[in-house]
Amino acid sequence: MTAAAPPGLPAKMHALVREFVAAPHAVADAVAEFGSPAHLVFPQVFAENLERLRTELAARVPGFRICYAHKVNQSRTFVEAARAAGAGIDVASAAELDSALKAGFEPERIEVTGPKGEGFVRELVGSGVTINVDNAWELERIAALAPTRVPVPVLVRVCGFAGTPVSRFGVPLHRVDAVLALLAAQRERIEFRGFAFHLDSGEPAERVRAVESCLMLTERAYGYGLAPSVLNIGGGFRQVFTADADAFDAYVHALRESLVGRGEPMTWGGNTFGFHLEDGAVHGTPVFHKYANIVSADRMLADLLDTGLESQGGRTFAQVAGENSIEIWLEPGKALVDHAGITVARVEFVKETADGSTLVNLDLSRDTVTPADQEVMVDPILVPARDVPDPSSGAAGVFLAGRLCLERDLITNHKVWLPRLPAPGDFVVFPNTAAYHMDLSAARASMHPVPPKLAVVQRSGTFSVGRDVDWHEVH
Ligand SMILES: *Cc1c(COP(=O)(O)O)cnc(C)c1O
């Protein structure tokens, strides 16, 4: 009998990205030219993700719009890819709006979400973009600032659906009547396009309840003489990280065993990943819960569109939208950048700690690939240094450590089994990092510069790599 394979967390990867990582010298050459660590984005994968969502919508409803949620990544290449594909864009700050306009989005294709202050509202009124209104104050300011001849297009975000955790965003359901009265009174200045919601949760039942509430509100709006024609269902369509759900479950099982002292130790520094230990047993939901998901975003969208709605006599969401000439809008962020980015770091040195653990130190810090309270639960890929033969030495269980002079700068707090012990100069590739990680928590701790962002495109089997900000030249 051979020894059991060590626990692993194989990453799902797009074939194009896998090909790039496996291409001789591709990673080493990119880093040699632009520096390490580096973020790499793949606009062709982004375009495919967009097309998959579009296919599901086009098969079911006559009118829809996909607005790329810019917040998920600051990449100029992704914004250009969204524009080139004819999508809309969802921006949540003055700088994101600027980025969308610079990429060539017409105001008609831009939607502005999120909390907005006086200055931003003033900038938006009269610009032609659709304002996704967060609250009654915003609406009153728009009414006060708007010219009478060209009404300002708005969506109204609502919240407070049954069974959904309280949200800081949107107008609570019980306040909607006051908003509808205001919209009816301000018809000269405000063009009410419809209701919107966005749920963080990936729970299908929550989204269905939100859709039903918004359809009822839409009907109520007709009673005020308003003519909403859009229902914006937001983002929250999930990513799939794992290539092997059984392997993922087996890893988590081994991890839980290790937390109660059975089997090989697998955690750094007493980390429990959100589990809590009681009476020698492991309870609760771990912080890395999202890595277990195996339902793709397009499937999740299709299922939502095909759900029979109790409040609509069992007709599906898609049927109800079609019959009432309601356009369905989406604001996917992470679903569009799923598998469309990787992060490359260089191995600086390998050391042993007092407890016998092996630390692989990288030129990267934790905040570059994950928020502090999360944990990356897919295995990175080890890529040998340029022109160094791969010294296959057998699997090694290690922790990946960051470059900051802080105890907490461990990139993985769980043990990662690599195919061999890395050596200085090797590269480590973190798969699927384009959603939020690249920008949202990136800090300049210890005065390290923020890693460069590069765009990779494949044409006729050849990869070209350029700076994301110079996308026009790469293109
Ligand atoms: C963040 C955000 C999104 C995108 O969310 P994902 O989960 O990345 O799809 C969409 N809409 C709004 C209003 C947001 O705040």
Side-chain angles (χ1 to χ4, degrees):
M1 213 176 106
T2 53
L9 294 166
K12 182 171 153 78
M13 286 176 83
H14 189 283
L16 186 151
V17 179
R18 195 175 283 286
E19 205 183 310
F20 175 80
V21 172
H25 314 314
V27 168
D29 286 353
V31 164
E33 184 173 357
F34 299 100
S36 172
H39 295 301
L40 279 64
V41 297
F42 297 79
Q44 290 161 314
V45 178
F46 178 101
E48 270 184 37
N49 290 338
L50 183 60
E51 193 49 39
R52 262 201 301 277
L53 293 181
R54 199 182 345 232
T55 302
E56 298 300 339
L57 286 156
R60 292 171 176 83
V61 290
F64 62 87
R65 178 182 295 192
I66 300 173
C67 300
Y68 165 50
H70 193 338
K71 154 186 107 191
V72 75
N73 196 304
Q74 293 176 13
S75 162
R76 185 177 297 178
T77 312
F78 286 156
V79 174
E80 298 270 355
R83 185 200 47 77
I89 190 161
D90 156 19
V91 298
S93 71
E96 285 184 7
L97 174 59
D98 208 38
S99 156
L101 291 169
K102 277 213 183 85
F105 277 93
E106 305 82 20
E108 294 71 38
R109 275 207 279 162
I110 301 175
E111 179 214 355
V112 186
T113 58
K116 310 159 200 77
E118 175 76 19
F120 197 26
V121 171
R122 281 180 183 269
E123 184 182 335
L124 297 177
V125 167
S127 69
V129 302
T130 295
I131 307 179
N132 188 330
V133 168
D134 174 71
N135 58 66
W137 170 84
E138 216 177 278
L139 204 53
E140 281 159 15
R141 292 309 296 145
I142 293 167
L145 294 165
T148 44
R149 287 175 323 294
V150 195
V152 176
V154 306
L155 295 166
V156 173
R157 179 165 173 179
V158 289
C159 66
F161 311 108
T164 299
V166 69
S167 167
R168 58 169 284 208
F169 297 114
V171 176
L173 291 179
H174 69 276
R175 297 277 182 194
V176 170
D177 273 306
V179 162
L180 287 173
L182 179 72
L183 289 167
Q186 296 291 344
R187 233 169 312 176
E188 302 279 287
R189 293 166 183 275
I190 298 177
E191 179 201 348
F192 175 53
R193 304 191 71 169
F195 290 100
F197 67 83
H198 166 70
L199 304 176
D200 265 342
S201 153
E203 187 51 53
E206 275 188 40
R207 215 162 251 99
V208 171
R209 281 195 297 271
V211 164
E212 292 200 284
S213 292
C214 285
L215 288 171
M216 284 189 281
L217 291 180
T218 300
E219 260 171 61
R220 203 187 304 169
Y222 301 147
Y224 282 81
L226 297 163
S229 60
V230 172
L231 201 175
N232 181 337
I233 63 173
F237 298 92
R238 299 178 74 179
Q239 298 179 265
V240 178
F241 290 92
T242 182
D244 184 338
D246 292 338
F248 182 87
D249 290 346
Y251 185 98
V252 174
H253 178 75
L255 184 66
R256 294 171 66 123
E257 290 287 290
S258 85
L259 288 175
V260 289
R262 286 194 286 265
E264 180 167 349
M266 287 172 68
T267 69
W268 176 261
N271 201 306
T272 55
F273 309 101
F275 286 123
H276 62 270
L277 311 180
E278 210 176 290
D279 305 329
V282 181
H283 305 271
T285 306
V287 293
F288 51 71
H289 169 70
K290 70 175 183 187
Y291 289 90
N293 178 50
I294 50 168
V295 181
S296 65
D298 51 330
R299 173 72 198 287
M300 197 174 149
L301 174 62
D303 287 349
L304 178 65
L305 293 168
D306 293 340
T307 301
L309 304 178
E310 223 172 283
S311 59
Q312 301 285 335
R315 285 177 306 153
T316 68
F317 176 26
Q319 284 172 324
V320 175
E323 288 161 16
N324 293 283
S325 304
I326 294 171
E327 269 186 36
I328 296 177
W329 288 18
L330 258 57
E331 299 161 347
K334 57 184 182 261
L336 291 184
V337 303
D338 199 17
H339 304 292
I342 57 175
T343 300
V344 179
R346 186 179 178 280
V347 174
E348 299 287 26
F349 60 92
V350 180
K351 68 180 275 188
E352 192 181 318
T353 58
D355 66 353
S357 302
T358 304
L359 293 190
V360 174
N361 281 72
L362 306 180
D363 64 351
L364 181 81
S365 48
R366 180 177 174 86
D367 64 24
T368 313
V369 285
T370 178
D373 59 354
Q374 267 282 334
E375 181 75 8
V376 174
M377 291 296 275
V378 287
D379 288 339
I381 308 215
L382 187 59
V383 177
R386 211 181 195 298
D387 301 326
V388 173
D390 202 329
S392 302
S393 59
V398 305
F399 296 97
L400 301 175
R403 64 180 168 181
L404 299 182
C405 189
L406 292 170
E407 284 289 1
R408 66 175 158 79
D409 193 26
L410 263 284
I411 297 167
T412 67
N413 285 301
H414 68 283
K415 193 174 281 183
V416 174
W417 274 270
L418 295 172
R420 64 172 167 83
L421 192 64
D426 282 338
F427 298 103
V428 170
V429 172
F430 293 87
N432 207 2
T433 55
Y436 298 105
H437 306 319
M438 287 186 181
D439 304 306
L440 214 56
S441 58
R444 297 206 44 204
S446 288
M447 300 177 81
H448 287 296
V450 171
K453 195 176 286 179
L454 312 175
V456 183
V457 291
Q458 187 185 40
R459 263 183 246 97
S460 326
T462 307
F463 290 103
S464 51
V465 183
R467 284 188 191 281
D468 173 68
V469 288
D470 301 332
W471 164 242
H472 283 297
E473 288 152 48
V474 183
H475 205 34

